[in-house]
Structures are given as C-alpha cells and as structure tokens.
Amino acid sequence: MNKHCNVVVPALLALLLAGCGGSADNTAAARLASPNRLAGSTAAGVAAAAATTWTSVKWGGGGYVTGLIYHPTSANVQYARTDIGGAYRWNQANSSWTPITDGIGFGAAEARYHGVESIALDPTNDQLVYMVTGMYTFEGNGRLYRSSDRGDHWTHVDLPFPVGGNNSGRAIGERLKVDPTNPSTLFYGSRTAGLWKSTDSGQTWNQVTSLSSVKLTQDQVNALGGSAMGVEALMFDNSSVGGGQPTWIMWAAIAPDYANAAGLSSTLYKSTNGGYSWTPVAVPSQVAGYYMPHIVRTNDGAFYVVFNKHAGEGASGPAYLYKFGGSYNNTWTLLNSSSSAGYGGVSVSGTGATARIALSVTGWNNTSQALQLSDNGGASWREIEVGMPHNPNETASGWLDDVEIDPSNRDHISHVYGGGVWETRNASAASPTWNLSVTNLEETATLAVVTPPAGTPYKFINSAGDIGTWLQTDLAVRPTKGPNSNWSNGNAADLAWSDPLYIAGTGVANWSGAGGFGFWSGDGGSTWNNFASLPAGAQANTSHTGNIAVTSRNNAVWAPANSVPSYTTNSGASWTATNLPALPVVGQGWDRGYRLAADRNNPNKVYAYDSGGASWATAGKVYVSTDGGHTFTLSQGSVAANLAPNAWGDTSMAVNPNAEGDIWLADGSAVYHSVNSGASWTRINNFAPANGIAGASVIALGKAASGASYSAAVYVVGVINGVWGVYRSDDAGASWTRFNDDAHQFGGIGVMAADWNTYGRIYVSGTGRGLFYTN
C-alpha cells in the first residue's frame, strides 16, 4: 500500500502527514497556488538549455493509481490518473505508460496540479482529453486541463470550485463527464460545492443550483475529517437522443455528507430535462445513507451500483452491488454483498443475463477475495485473483478501488492498487495470470538522495516515502539492496566518503507503527543492522525534515526533525547529544530540522545548517564542528551573510569533496559559497525568488567538466531572471546554463544529487514522479 504519507515537492502540507503520524514541512503553501512563468523559457543572460535527455530511474509503480479511463470505441486508448504524480497515457506499441503531465502547465509553482481527480474523454473524438486537477480541497480551486492531442500539449482554465486529487476517496469513479451526444457540454460532481455544468467545452462553469446551491465551508469539511465526497457521479441516459442534441435524462449520486449538508432527501436524483430540475430516487432501504463510489450504465439502460457504508479508499464493509433498472423500471436487484470488506470498483461488459461483471474488493478485511467475476449477469461469482499466478510474485491487496474491463477485449481486466496497476489478459481462464502494468509509470516520492564517490558499486542511495531506503546499482532495474522491504519511509541516508561501503540511514517503521528507526550497512548494502538505540527525538519526530551525516565507519551525526542532533561512535549502539541549540517552534505542525554535511576531505569537520524553519522566522545560521560532529561553533560568517529564513524544503547544503572547507548553500532566496569552512560566505547574485517560487531551493555538486576552472559542476534548482529551472555552473558560479527545459518540469523538483562518475548526470525527483537521471 502507498499512502503517500511524506511526499515532498518540496513538501505537501500538514493535512496528509497528520494522518500518517507525522506533520508537514509546510514549505510555502502560497507557492503552490502561484502562477509559474511558462513563456520565454530561457532567462535573459543565461545560456540555452543544455542538450540532455531525462529518463526515469526504475522502480515500477510505487504509488497509488486512482483511476483507469478507456476510450469507449477506440481500442487501446487508455489513461491512468494518480493522486500525486500526474497522469499517463498507455502506449500499446511498447506496452508502457507515457507521462503526460511533466511539461508546460506543471512547473514548480504548479506542483499541486499533479493531483489528478478526474479524466474524461470525448467519445466522438479520441484525441480530446479533459483532466481536472488539484491536490487538496483546502488549497483552493482546481484546474481543468484540455488537450486535443491525447495529452501531448495542454491548455488550462481555473475552476470555480476546490478539487482534491489526493483527498480521501480519490479513487471513486470519474467525476468529470462529457455529454456523449453533445460533447461540448461537461458536468462535474465536486466534493464541496455540488454539481457544475459547462456548455463551452469547459471554458466557463456554472453551478447546477437546481440540485443544490450549497457550498461546504472549510470548517464543515474539517468536521468530516478533512475530506468530503460531495457529488460522487453523474450518469447519462442518452438512449433516445440524436447526435448533437443534449442528453436530457441523467442521474446524480450524492454522498451522504453533502446530501445532509444540503438538506437533500435522497442520495440519488434524476433529471429528465438536462439538469434544470431534479427528482429524488429511492434507493433500497438496506443501503440508505451509503456511499456510491462507482456506477456503470450498460447499453440496455441498466445501472450497476456499488454501495459502501464507509467512504474512502480501502473502506471496510458492509458493501453491496445492486443492479438498477434506470429509466426502464425502478427495480433494484441485489447481485453481491460483503459484510467485512468494502467494494472498490465495478466494470461491466455486455448486457443482461450474459453480462460479464468485474467487482473489486478493497481493503484488508477479506484476504480471500480481491477480484470477483461473474459471467452470467451477477447470478454467480468466482474469485479470479487471490491464489492466482502473479508476476512479480506479490500480493495484490489493499486499495483496489477501480477496476476496468477493456472495452475492446473482455479478457483484459485491470485494476488499481496502492502500488500501481495489475492486469490479466486471460480473465476467462480457470487460473488467470496477473502482471504488474507499471513500465515507465513511476510514482515514488523521494525524500533524499545521495551519490557516492566515483567507482563505488552503487549509483546512489534513495530515501523515499512508503517504499523506504534502497541502493540503486542499475538505473534500469528495480533495486534489491535495502534495509528491509516492509512498508516504511526512508528519510535520509549518508555514506563514509573514504569508505563508501559503510552506509547509515534513518526512516519510519510504518509497518509496525513503532515510529522512527535507523540502520547501517558495512558492506555496501548486502547486509543491514538496525541501530541498537535511538537518539533523543528520533522515535517520535518522524518527519523527513532531518538528516544524517556519516563522517567515517561507525561514526555518524543524526539530526531528527525538531530535535538537537546527536552523534554515535559505535554505529548506533549509543548516542550523545551535541551542543547545538534547540530549535524553536515556528508554527503549529510545521516541522524543521538541522541540515548536516560531513566534509569529505576532513571527516573531523561537520557542518550544520539551521534554515530558520520558516520565512517569518529568524535568519539562517551555519555551525561548524572540528571534532567529528561532537561539538559545534556558530559561524560568524553566516551571521554576517544574513541568510534568508526559509522552510526546510526551500533550502539545501552541499560540500565539494575535492577541497576541504568548500561549502555551497541555497537559503531559498540565493546561493552562497564558502571556501574556508564557513568563516566567510560569498553570495551568488544570479538567483532570486519570483512568482512565489524559491530563488534557490536545491543545490548539488558532481563531476566537473573536462578542463573546467572549478573542481565540481554545480547544479541549482532555482530562478534566474524570473525563469525557474535547473541551472548548472562549471566555473564556481560565475556563469550559469539552464539545464532543463519547459518540457521537463515534473511539477517541481524536491531533491537532487549529482553523479561523480559522469559529467552532466544528475538525479532529481519530481512531484510524485519518482527519480529521473540525465544523460
């Protein structure tokens, strides 16, 4: 399961993390809602983008795919939406997924639009795609994106209602619907503001007040646990409508949370005049007040409706599947029920007594069922997934909240889960074979990445939310070396530069609820041991706003979030607090921490950077240790530099392993460089905040260009002359080249490391997009 409990770009706010036993580094929430400069991609006075390619580092899935959308008539035209990682289009030619939300419209200021709540396809034009995005309803109104070339290019309009692509209940059926006979008319079932309609292909929207004019306040949403389901679905009955005419008969499913707030008498309504008026429809008393996460209408006018008592992904039972006669009769027929687990999705191929029905079972309350199949219209059922062959040999359980039968091949059935997509192409077999369908679908959330010296037998150490910590030895193969394969967060890791087979890391034991833990390996990740003890603050403060620095084998300094760092000289058998000052609280639920870096030339030197914690806090400071991180002294040079105060995720520090005392720092506003262990700092004036985006948020050093005047290539994520991007300098910051382009923005970049084997290779994380590397 992937709950995306600690996604960073640079951070995705307290509401999500609070549900995971942590709180957030609330890095510039205002920035997420600010416009990004999209035109004029090369800043004045900056060289054009370097020639490079961007390739995903292999993990395979790793995140929650919340919906699969097929075109109804064009074979193999399929899309996948995710909760934090944007959207993908299926590529039938090579059986892989193509990301379609990495470029223009998805820059650093637009990270929250990587949360995709719904996708709709024009049934009369298989090139036309609509997509509604917005990460959380509390962040404000969402966006509608429109593409006329299957997602290769997008335009967008701002919507007049909030959108919650990563709120609870994000895998219910598609809220966005295109009128099949009059496709310039769109409807949207919102979470908090009722039903909306557009008659100009989504350019303008009006609330369908004939159903309800109620708009939930944030206080009302908070009282519901932070997520409202609202209008869950709209279904068209266009059986007697000619082409070009609007569909007059439609049905709206209303979640009980919104129905109660709006004073509606039912959770199902019908309109016979295109939404100008509505009539309540009685549902079976057994499911009165239940949620309806998925509804399917077949060509004979029948509706197949999932009813769950509880809302959200992985909901527990009771749950029921009913068939409803719709416009032809008001008969409800019970087809299946579950007392323990909830039902996820439903998909139907065919009609009547020979209809094939696929019904997914969500959550963990019934491990004997995952996907139920009926080939006789629901008269009988069989399990087609639990106990069947899976490649890889993993358990497909958890959030199975959407299932789809391929409209062009009823033996091809796919469903979502917390780690991506499973599919079978022989559903009719007595023992169907299931395969992960996640090639080039990368949705992990990297929290930290560190690269070793040239010649080390691994490329980097990846610390990520939900999947934990892993050593990547082959960029094209899923890694196998890590401290454990349990559900965990990897928060940070480091290595001994002169002895890189020694590694230490920190994380969160999600699988057991035990909180923070630490681990080390002395043989390059072949074997691992947990720290025998933890420093003060490490178990309870599980936010990623902390890190660890390794000075030499057995010796490390750990800075847990919101805590005074401690050091160990025996691989975690014991810890001793440093003399660094305690960090004052800068805001409720607002995590902070020290950034640590060991000098790679002199392991006795360790640098600790306090970023201030928030933009309204006190100035940043750097502390220097000359005894391996045991005691620290304030760098008066950093005080004189008057470093801008900023949140953890807007700041960064890196050291040059080729020169002692050579430190680079990004304080969220500008870049600073010290060549004397922090005694003095030179400000690099090229970078500055713009459009709500941090001026310089991430910095990394890697192999220098041949013949370069400086011993390392310097990479900065930031803004020069109003243009956000990744910038590279080969001359210690005297000049800069934009290293990415507008097609490679990834919803912003949260972490970055540079390679010491290959000049020009960096590793970066996008918003829920895993890791990329450049060539």
Side-chain angles (χ1 to χ4, degrees):
M1 179 183 69
N2 191 320
K3 287 189 176 180
H4 289 130
C5 292
N6 270 324
V7 292
V8 174
V9 185
L12 286 174
L13 306 177
L15 183 65
L16 174 66
L17 296 181
C20 303
S23 54
D25 162 27
N26 295 325
T27 306
R31 177 181 60 203
L32 298 179
S34 302
N36 188 23
R37 177 173 173 176
L38 300 177
S41 60
T42 302
V46 177
T52 187
T53 60
W54 299 79
T55 306
S56 287
V57 175
K58 176 69 173 181
W59 175 265
Y64 191 25
V65 175
T66 50
L68 300 171
I69 303 92
Y70 279 99
H71 193 272
T73 58
S74 295
N76 302 314
V77 178
Q78 182 189 12
Y79 297 83
R81 59 179 171 93
T82 74
D83 52 2
I84 67 166
Y88 294 80
R89 181 184 67 239
W90 178 251
N91 185 340
Q92 179 67 14
N94 61 9
S95 298
S96 70
W97 294 95
T98 299
I100 55 175
T101 51
D102 286 345
I104 291 177
F106 303 96
E110 298 157 308
R112 72 185 184 98
Y113 301 115
H114 258 204
V116 182
E117 187 168 71
S118 191
I119 290 176
L121 311 180
D122 186 331
T124 67
N125 177 2
D126 67 8
Q127 300 292 311
L128 188 55
V129 186
Y130 297 95
M131 181 173 66
V132 172
T133 69
M135 201 77 76
Y136 303 105
T137 55
F138 74 80
E139 292 177 322
N141 293 343
R143 276 184 180 175
L144 173 79
Y145 287 84
R146 184 181 188 274
S147 173
S148 57
D149 54 11
R150 296 185 178 178
D152 286 342
H153 304 87
W154 297 96
T155 58
H156 69 261
V157 297
D158 294 331
L159 293 170
F161 48 82
V163 173
N166 198 32
N167 278 111
S168 178
R170 49 198 180 271
I172 71 170
E174 300 311 310
R175 296 174 177 270
L176 180 64
K177 292 295 173 65
V178 178
D179 187 332
T181 57
N182 187 26
S184 61
T185 296
L186 281 65
F187 285 85
Y188 198 81
S190 77
R191 288 176 174 267
T192 64
L195 182 65
W196 292 75
K197 180 180 181 180
S198 171
T199 58
D200 54 9
S201 300
Q203 294 301 303
T204 60
W205 292 83
N206 292 287
Q207 190 183 37
V208 182
T209 55
S210 56
L211 180 62
S212 174
S213 60
V214 168
K215 298 179 181 179
L216 301 182
T217 66
Q218 189 59 51
D219 285 344
Q220 288 176 298
V221 175
N222 291 342
L224 296 170
S227 294
M229 300 300 115
V231 178
E232 297 174 289
L234 185 83
M235 305 301 297
F236 296 105
D237 179 355
N238 62 323
S239 54
S240 59
V241 180
Q245 297 299 311
T247 299
W248 295 109
I249 302 175
M250 58 189 67
W251 308 73
I254 318 295
D257 52 24
Y258 186 79
N260 292 336
L264 300 176
S265 60
S266 179
T267 54
L268 184 64
Y269 277 76
K270 179 183 180 181
S271 175
T272 58
N273 52 17
Y276 288 97
S277 63
W278 298 84
T279 302
V281 177
V283 300
S285 59
Q286 188 178 39
V287 293
Y290 276 44
Y291 295 87
M292 289 175 273
H294 285 273
I295 303 175
V296 173
R297 180 183 180 274
T298 52
N299 290 335
D300 60 356
F303 291 88
Y304 295 79
V305 187
V306 169
F307 288 93
N308 280 340
K309 183 175 182 179
H310 303 288
E313 46 284 330
S316 60
Y320 301 88
L321 175 67
Y322 273 91
K323 180 180 179 180
F324 176 51
S327 297
Y328 298 98
N329 63 70
N330 289 323
T331 303
W332 291 88
T333 304
L334 179 62
L335 301 182
N336 209 339
S337 64
S338 170
S339 60
S340 57
Y343 285 141
V346 62
S347 185
V348 185
S349 175
T351 60
T354 61
R356 166 166 283 186
I357 309 171
L359 178 66
S360 61
V361 181
T362 191
W364 291 266
N365 287 349
N366 183 352
T367 57
S368 65
Q369 294 182 351
L371 194 65
Q372 294 280 290
L373 189 71
S374 173
D375 280 321
N376 52 15
S380 62
W381 298 85
R382 65 186 178 98
E383 174 63 28
I384 65 166
E385 183 157 12
V386 174
M388 306 301 170
H390 282 72
N391 180 30
N393 187 21
E394 298 177 1
T395 300
S397 62
W399 292 353
L400 278 63
D401 285 285
D402 185 34
V403 60
E404 300 294 335
I405 301 174
D406 187 338
S408 64
N409 177 8
R410 70 198 306 261
D411 264 353
H412 179 207
I413 300 178
S414 304
H415 69 74
V416 306
Y417 83 119
V421 180
W422 283 99
E423 67 172 5
T424 179
R425 292 182 178 270
N426 62 339
S428 297
S431 181
T433 300
W434 291 85
N435 294 282
L436 269 179
S437 177
V438 292
T439 300
N440 207 39
L441 195 160
E442 298 290 345
E443 206 199 347
T444 56
T446 292
L447 305 177
V449 60
V450 60
T451 50
T456 304
Y458 57 90
K459 305 292 186 183
F460 57 80
I461 309 169
N462 177 16
S463 302
D466 294 326
I467 64 170
T469 300
W470 297 91
L471 272 67
Q472 196 87 32
T473 58
D474 186 330
L475 300 177
V477 177
R478 187 170 183 162
T480 59
K481 289 187 174 184
N484 66 74
S485 58
N486 295 321
W487 176 40
S488 65
N489 290 353
N491 280 350
D494 197 22
L495 54 109
W497 195 256
S498 61
D499 184 8
L501 298 185
Y502 185 84
I503 300 160
T506 71
V508 187
N510 297 330
W511 76 91
S512 66
F517 75 114
F519 41 85
W520 63 276
S521 173
D523 53 11
S526 295
T527 60
W528 296 85
N529 296 278
N530 284 348
F531 291 151
S533 65
L534 298 176
Q539 185 172 22
N541 291 288
T542 57
S543 168
H544 65 277
T545 59
N547 67 340
I548 191 167
V550 174
T551 58
S552 60
R553 184 170 285 260
N554 303 323
N555 292 274
V557 189
W558 184 354
N562 310 310
S563 304
V564 172
S566 297
Y567 66 88
T568 181
T569 59
N570 49 24
S571 292
S574 61
W575 297 87
T576 303
T578 69
N579 67 333
L580 284 165
L583 297 171
V585 175
V586 294
Q588 184 177 2
W590 198 283
D591 291 317
R592 57 182 305 193
Y594 282 98
R595 286 190 181 273
L596 304 173
D599 194 296
R600 302 307 200 184
N601 266 261
N602 182 352
N604 288 320
K605 287 186 178 179
V606 180
Y607 310 105
Y609 170 37
D610 166 20
S611 70
S615 58
W616 58 83
T618 56
K621 302 178 184 66
V622 175
Y623 299 81
V624 182
S625 171
T626 58
D627 59 3
H630 299 186
T631 60
F632 288 81
T633 303
L634 175 63
S635 160
Q636 294 301 326
S638 71
V639 176
N642 194 29
L643 301 175
N646 270 305
W648 165 274
D650 277 338
T651 60
S652 182
M653 180 171 62
V655 295
N656 183 356
N658 298 311
E660 181 178 340
D662 192 338
I663 320 168
W664 291 81
L665 186 148
D667 72 349
S669 294
V671 172
Y672 291 83
H673 186 202
S674 174
V675 294
N676 53 16
S677 301
S680 62
W681 295 84
T682 300
R683 179 180 173 127
I684 309 298
N685 289 315
N686 306 69
F687 297 90
N691 299 326
I693 309 171
S697 58
V698 189
I699 193 163
L701 274 64
K703 183 177 180 178
S706 178
S709 59
Y710 182 60
S711 60
V714 184
Y715 302 86
V716 173
V717 177
V719 180
I720 294 181
N721 295 331
V723 178
W724 175 87
V726 181
Y727 292 89
R728 182 182 68 197
S729 175
D730 295 321
D731 52 15
S735 61
W736 297 89
T737 298
R738 189 177 179 201
F739 194 62
N740 73 322
D741 56 25
D742 285 351
H744 300 93
Q745 301 190 78
F746 314 121
I749 291 172
V751 301
M752 175 174 63
D755 196 278
W756 290 100
N757 294 280
T758 304
Y759 169 69
R761 174 166 290 177
I762 59 174
Y763 307 97
V764 302
S765 71
T767 298
R769 285 288 287 114
L771 281 171
F772 296 89
Y773 68 94
T774 57
N775 287 313

